[in-house]
């Protein structure tokens, strides 16, 4: 059994779906997306979906600005719903981080980010329930918020189908075929051979083993990042803003039904490698308690919130905590992985950049900082927090 297509995309998370949509929009015919389970069943379906804009480089800032514009008008730009809630985001930093924050925001404003540095004392006018005590400054991003990663994936997938893309779920790629240094197609778990001059690895947490099928090693560590769900007290009032407390080491984002999703911003996920198949597994009460204490210090009213549940999430982390978006040394074998915890908020721009690179067009944003071959050392440096301020 065999067939031929132009492009095979491996992985039906938000990355693969966005690439499929943008390839169809760029006029590529015969795109086939293969997902071994169901759309958004990987990291995408376990994501917290926060869209913050603070990034240390011009290129990543431009990526998030373009992506935010899509989330804001997803129905017109793509179709379907993004579930985007522009509640605003606040990012608290320590006194020692303040100078770096101010320099970064200056750079970011030049590429269109709307953000304002507040004195801790001024925080009360935006979100009085955050404790300003240990903060040196607070960044306010009025347009930031959170979205629904599963809805965005489905929106991109439906629009891709309308553009002629074939999406097959329950189909696993088990081999990648090569002729010398060129990719020639894939083989599936059902025994089918699919010839294709272009194969895209968008397999998220599974991208390293998928790359190995083509003889390519990715410098990616899959690191555990648990998420905890708490129920706010009925007297809490209106939902809080998204709050990322870089000084205290936790984040909180509101969810419908009086819930809040929270997690750690101090752990170094690279020190906690996780088997991807454990995605969604239970978490222990001990680890929840530690994070909830930090969240309760950041937003004291949440100290009274009731713990509901948690799950094991994980990030696919590169040495510089930025995605790999580019062609591998095997010609025609493209990588869109190593999202390092940013893969939802960057997904529109990632799909746009990948499609441009694949068709040989010049991407709107310089792709060099995301190139496959950029790593001198393979060991990760810094932690997730480094991706905010460098
Ligand atoms: C707990 C958690 C919180 C997060 N919070 C945020 C956040 O607040 N903001 C943000 O921007 N990002 C966040 N992220 C990151 C973001 O959600 C991810 O980077 C993004 O969703 C990854 O999408 P993906 O499509 O690259 O990978 P995935 O969603 O993992 O998709 C990969 C797909 O490939 C499939 N696959 C694997 N192997 C094969 C194969 N051999 N054949 C066929 N299919 C295969 C898998 O089944 C899977 O569906 C978070 C992630 C987690 C886990």
């Amino acid at each position: 059994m065999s067939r031929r297509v132009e492009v095979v995309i491996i992985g039906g998370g938000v990355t693969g779906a966005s690439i499929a949509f943008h390839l169809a929009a760029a006029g590529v015919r015969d795109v086939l997306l293969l997902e071994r389970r169901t759309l958004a069943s990987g990291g995408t379906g376990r994501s917290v979906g926060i869209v913050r804009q603070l990034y240390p480089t011009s290129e990543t800032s431009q990526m998030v600005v373009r992506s935010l514009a899509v989330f804001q008008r997803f129905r017109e730009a793509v179709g379907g719903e993004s579930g985007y809630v522009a509640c605003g985001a606040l990012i608290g930093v320590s006194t020692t981080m303040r100078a770096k924050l101010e320099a970064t925001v200056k750079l970011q404003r030049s590429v269109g980010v709307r953000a304002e540095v507040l004195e801790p004392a001024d925080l009360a006018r935006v979100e009085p329930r955050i404790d300003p005590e240990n903060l040196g400054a607070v960044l306010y991003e009025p347009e930031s918020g959170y979205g629904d990663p599963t809805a965005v994936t489905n929106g991109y997938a439906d629009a891709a189908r309308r553009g002629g893309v074939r999406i097959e779920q329950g189909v696993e790629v088990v081999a990648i075929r090569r002729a010398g240094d060129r990719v020639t197609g894939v083989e599936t778990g059902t025994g089918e051979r699919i010839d294709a001059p272009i194969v895209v690895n968008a397999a998220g947490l599974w991208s390293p083993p998928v790359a190995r099928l083509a003889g390519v090693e990715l410098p990616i560590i899959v690191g555990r990042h648990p998420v905890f769900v708490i129920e706010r007290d009925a007297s809490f009032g209106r939902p809080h803003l998204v709050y990322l407390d870089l000084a205290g080491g936790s984040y909180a984002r509101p969810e419908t039904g009086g819930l809040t999703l929270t997690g750690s911003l101090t752990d170094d996920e690279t020190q906690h490698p996780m088997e991807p198949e454990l995605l969604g597994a239970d978490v222990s009460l001990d680890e929840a308690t530690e994070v909830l204490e930090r969240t309760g210090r950041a937003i004291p009213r949440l100290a009274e919130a009731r713990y509901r549940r948690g799950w094991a999430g994980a990030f696919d982390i590169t040495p510089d905590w930025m995605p790999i978006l580019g062609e591998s040394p095997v010609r025609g074998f493209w990588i869109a992985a190593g999202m390092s915890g940013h893969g939802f908020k960057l997904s529109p721009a990632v799909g746009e950049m990948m499609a441009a690179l694949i068709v040989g067009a010049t991407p709107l944003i310089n792709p060099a900082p995301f190139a496959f071959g950029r790593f001198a050392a393979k060991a990760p440096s810094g932690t997730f927090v480094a991706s905010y301020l460098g």
Side-chain angles (χ1 to χ4, degrees):
M1 204 168 51
S2 75
R3 59 181 149 154
R4 188 184 190 287
V5 299
E6 256 331 285
V7 181
V8 171
I9 299 170
I10 306 171
V14 72
T15 303
S18 175
I19 295 170
F21 167 82
H22 284 94
L23 281 173
V28 182
R29 297 288 147 246
D30 257 352
V31 177
L32 173 66
L33 185 154
L34 300 176
E35 163 54 51
R36 66 176 186 148
R37 289 188 175 146
T38 54
L39 292 174
S41 60
T44 299
R46 298 289 172 178
S47 179
V48 175
I50 292 174
V51 178
R52 50 97 179 175
Q53 294 173 78
L54 182 60
Y55 275 105
T57 68
S58 169
E59 290 81 7
T60 327
S61 302
Q62 291 172 67
M63 298 279 277
V64 79
V65 166
R66 283 196 75 75
S67 297
L68 175 63
V70 174
F71 292 132
Q72 286 169 329
R73 43 172 207 96
F74 196 75
R75 197 177 306 172
E76 302 83 62
V78 181
E81 300 297 328
S82 68
Y84 189 64
V85 179
C87 58
L90 290 158
I91 302 176
V93 302
S94 63
T95 311
T96 50
M97 291 168 160
R98 180 170 179 148
K100 217 170 192 183
L101 176 71
E102 283 172 343
T104 305
V105 170
K106 197 166 160 208
L107 166 99
Q108 287 209 292
R109 286 214 185 100
S110 70
V111 298
V113 172
R114 268 192 63 204
E116 186 189 350
V117 178
L118 304 178
E119 296 300 329
D122 293 336
L123 185 54
R125 77 175 157 84
V126 182
E127 177 52 90
R129 293 164 295 189
I130 294 174
D131 183 357
E133 180 70 22
N134 296 314
L135 301 177
V138 184
L139 184 70
Y140 178 37
E141 298 176 347
E143 296 173 312
S144 294
Y146 62 93
D148 180 339
T150 300
V152 168
T153 305
N154 287 328
Y156 273 129
D158 289 345
R161 286 190 189 99
R162 289 194 295 276
V165 173
R166 237 187 115 84
I167 296 182
E168 296 178 9
Q169 301 180 69
V171 180
E172 182 169 4
V173 170
V174 295
I176 296 178
R177 299 170 69 87
R178 283 173 61 167
D181 70 348
R182 241 208 162 292
V183 79
T184 57
V186 302
E187 285 172 17
T188 70
T190 52
E192 188 184 13
R193 194 185 91 194
I194 301 168
D195 295 328
I198 295 168
V199 174
V200 184
N201 179 354
L205 305 177
W206 296 268
S207 56
V210 165
R212 242 169 261 134
L213 297 176
V216 172
E217 277 302 319
L218 295 183
I220 289 176
I221 292 175
V222 175
R224 189 168 182 278
H225 178 89
V227 177
F228 310 100
V229 184
I230 52 180
E231 186 179 343
R232 300 187 298 269
D233 197 77
S235 64
F236 190 89
R238 65 177 169 81
H240 52 85
L241 275 67
V242 167
Y243 184 47
L244 302 139
D245 180 10
L246 303 191
S250 70
Y251 63 82
R253 84 99 157 140
E255 175 57 279
T256 50
L259 302 177
T260 287
L261 306 185
T262 182
S264 174
L265 284 178
T266 54
D267 295 342
D268 179 356
E269 285 83 358
T270 63
Q271 299 304 310
H272 305 280
M274 189 181 104
E275 170 51 45
E277 297 307 319
L278 292 176
L279 191 69
D282 282 346
V283 293
S284 75
L285 191 58
D286 282 355
E287 62 181 334
T289 306
E290 199 193 312
V291 174
L292 298 190
E293 273 172 15
R294 270 184 259 143
T295 311
R297 279 197 290 276
I299 307 179
R301 291 290 311 281
L302 289 181
E304 297 149 35
R306 186 142 46 110
Y307 177 59
R308 287 273 293 262
R309 65 178 180 281
W311 64 81
F315 297 158
D316 41 333
I317 305 164
T318 66
D320 61 5
W321 288 80
M322 287 296 155
I324 299 172
L325 307 173
E327 195 172 23
S328 77
V330 175
R331 281 190 298 143
F333 184 51
W334 293 80
I335 312 294
M339 296 298 155
S340 307
H342 322 292
F344 173 62
K345 66 179 79 63
L346 299 183
S347 58
V350 161
E352 187 179 53
M353 181 177 283
M354 286 299 297
L357 289 169
I358 289 168
V359 302
T362 305
L364 295 165
I365 299 166
N366 175 16
F370 310 105
F372 179 93
R374 71 183 185 274
F375 304 107
K378 295 220 184 310
S381 63
T383 63
F384 186 51
V385 170
S387 73
Y388 287 73
L389 286 171

